[in-house]
């Protein structure tokens, strides 16, 4: 059977059918998956049985592994390239990063070269009386850009957002070493997707600390207005997880938010990998 691509009703997201990720991908299978990834920004495969080694091998088809600073203390035993995201506690200790992604963001936007994509493999999904919890939402940044009025598009031409890892949210929790590893950076507010050429908005309310050359109050207002625009309901795909899902997203085309609507004894366990982009984003 060939690869079948079933888009969601949202401007991002597609289910990929006819692929068993526990087996090596053929050249044509990989090309189909890679094209779907670029076209749809979020793709997912249901009912997979992927070992940690399989997840790492699948990730490497798309780029080199990139390590997320928030996963440094929660790498999977024997597979430090995989970050455990979980609310589970064992022996009084949290086994993974708890409440990861509880604010809208694009992964590692505070680095000079943010990752191309991220993969989540759902091992355990919380459920209450048959109702699945712990969904993840994805906002289509290209659809949000396309929807802007022409004057705003013109105004944003050449504007660069400032990102400071040590900024507002994290000042109290990061170490001096992390501060030095991630000095402030800027990225274009309008990023051009390296493959599709689509224009994507790259602004987040919590991570952007300013806009280069724009007075602070004005910059904060612009960041807030754009960030709110990106997450309008019509731009969002909401993924309802099933154990066995493997889902990957493009950090230029989407921002994401993990809904924290569950608590122990309901368990959520995800394995996450992140892969690098070839070159700094345009
Ligand atoms: C993340 O932001 O990487 C976590 C997403 C999720 O757990 O659904």
């Amino acid at each position: 059977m060939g690869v079948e691509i079933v888009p969601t009703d949202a401007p991002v997201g597609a289910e990929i059918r006819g692929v068993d990720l526990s087996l090596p991908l053929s050249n044509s299978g990989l090309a189909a998956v890679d094209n779907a990834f670029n076209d749809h920004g979020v793709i997912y495969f249901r009912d997979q049985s992927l070992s940690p080694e399989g997840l790492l091998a699948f990730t490497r088809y798309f780029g080199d592994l990139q390590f997320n600073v928030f996963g440094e203390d929660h790498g999977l035993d024997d597979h430090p390239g995989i970050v455990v995201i979980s609310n589970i506690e064992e022996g009084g200790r949290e086994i993974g990063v708890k409440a990861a992604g509880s604010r809208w963001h694009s992964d590692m936007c505070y680095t000079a070269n943010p990752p191309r994509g991220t993969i989540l493999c759902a091992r355990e999904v919380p459920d209450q009386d048959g109702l699945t919890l712990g969904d993840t939402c994805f906002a289509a940044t290209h659809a949000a850009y396309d929807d802007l009025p022409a004057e705003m598009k013109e105004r944003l031409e050449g504007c660069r957002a400032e990102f400071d890892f040590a900024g507002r949210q994290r000042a109290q929790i990061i170490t001096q070493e992390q501060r030095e590893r991630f000095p402030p950076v800027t990225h274009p507010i309008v990023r051009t997707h390296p493959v599709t050429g689509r224009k994507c908005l790259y602004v987040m309310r919590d991570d952007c600390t300013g806009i280069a050359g724009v007075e602070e109050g004005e910059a904060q207002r612009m960041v807030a207005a754009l960030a709110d625009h990106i997450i309008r309901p019509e731009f969002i795909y909401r993924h309802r997880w099933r154990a066995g899902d493997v889902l990957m997203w493009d950090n230029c085309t989407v921002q994401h938010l993990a809904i924290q609507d569950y608590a122990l004894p309901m368990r959520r366990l995800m394995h996450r990998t992140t892969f690098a982009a070839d070159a700094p984003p345009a």
Side-chain angles (χ1 to χ4, degrees):
M1 193 174 87
V3 177
E4 190 188 354
I5 294 161
V6 185
T8 68
D9 293 338
V12 285
E15 181 180 352
I16 313 294
R17 296 184 184 157
V19 179
D20 179 350
L21 296 181
S22 67
L23 303 174
L25 281 175
S26 64
N27 288 345
S28 62
L30 176 58
V33 171
D34 199 39
N35 289 340
F37 181 56
N38 288 318
D39 287 347
H40 297 283
V42 179
I43 56 173
Y44 59 93
F45 308 77
R46 298 283 196 196
D47 303 317
Q48 299 295 319
S49 177
L50 199 54
S51 64
E53 293 79 10
L55 173 58
L56 290 168
F58 178 62
T59 306
R60 289 195 184 97
Y61 282 126
F62 304 96
D64 291 336
L65 285 180
Q66 195 163 345
F67 293 91
N68 189 317
V69 64
F70 293 113
E72 281 169 359
D73 295 335
H74 290 293
L76 186 63
D77 289 346
D78 301 331
H79 299 93
I82 296 177
V83 174
V84 178
I85 296 184
S86 186
N87 67 333
I88 300 171
E89 292 170 18
E90 274 169 11
R93 179 183 160 266
E94 289 168 1
I95 66 161
V97 186
K98 197 172 169 184
S102 57
R103 295 193 173 99
W104 282 102
H105 68 288
S106 177
D107 288 333
M108 297 164 74
C109 52
Y110 48 83
T111 58
N113 191 10
R116 176 182 176 208
T118 304
I119 302 178
L120 273 191
C121 189
R123 306 288 188 201
E124 292 185 55
V125 175
D127 163 300
Q128 189 167 42
D129 302 324
L131 182 67
T132 301
L133 300 174
D135 296 354
T136 307
C137 297
F138 298 91
T141 59
H142 59 294
Y145 173 81
D146 292 347
D147 190 64
L148 287 176
E151 313 83 73
M152 179 57 91
K153 287 182 179 163
E154 210 170 299
R155 177 155 186 217
L156 294 178
E157 254 340 284
C159 279
R160 295 185 74 88
E162 297 170 335
F163 297 82
D164 184 356
F165 184 66
R168 294 198 292 275
Q169 303 297 330
R170 305 191 185 96
Q172 311 303 323
I173 56 168
I174 67 168
T175 64
Q176 183 60 26
E177 186 276 326
Q178 289 169 334
R179 228 172 252 270
E180 283 161 19
R181 196 156 25 123
F182 301 109
V185 294
T186 66
H187 296 298
I189 288 186
V190 180
R191 280 180 63 179
T192 303
H193 191 278
V195 178
T196 65
R198 288 185 303 216
K199 291 189 171 182
C200 301
L201 283 175
Y202 200 68
V203 175
M204 308 89 195
R205 188 187 278 277
D206 294 313
D207 285 309
C208 291
T209 48
I211 299 177
V214 177
E215 180 274 321
E216 192 183 340
E218 172 65 3
Q220 294 308 332
R221 281 190 292 279
M222 276 176 74
V223 166
L226 290 168
D228 287 348
H229 173 75
I230 292 167
I231 59 168
R232 280 167 54 169
E234 60 267 39
F235 305 140
I236 290 177
Y237 166 63
R238 180 169 175 152
H239 187 73
R240 182 169 288 188
W241 292 97
R242 287 194 219 153
D245 282 358
V246 175
L247 179 148
M248 57 195 279
W249 67 81
D250 179 317
N251 281 300
C252 179
T253 307
V254 298
Q255 291 181 18
H256 61 284
L257 168 81
I259 310 266
Q260 311 288 332
D261 57 358
Y262 57 92
L264 289 173
M266 286 179 279
R267 292 160 55 110
R268 189 173 188 269
L269 174 60
M270 301 275 168
H271 286 172
R272 182 179 70 195
T273 54
T274 305
F275 52 95
D278 285 341

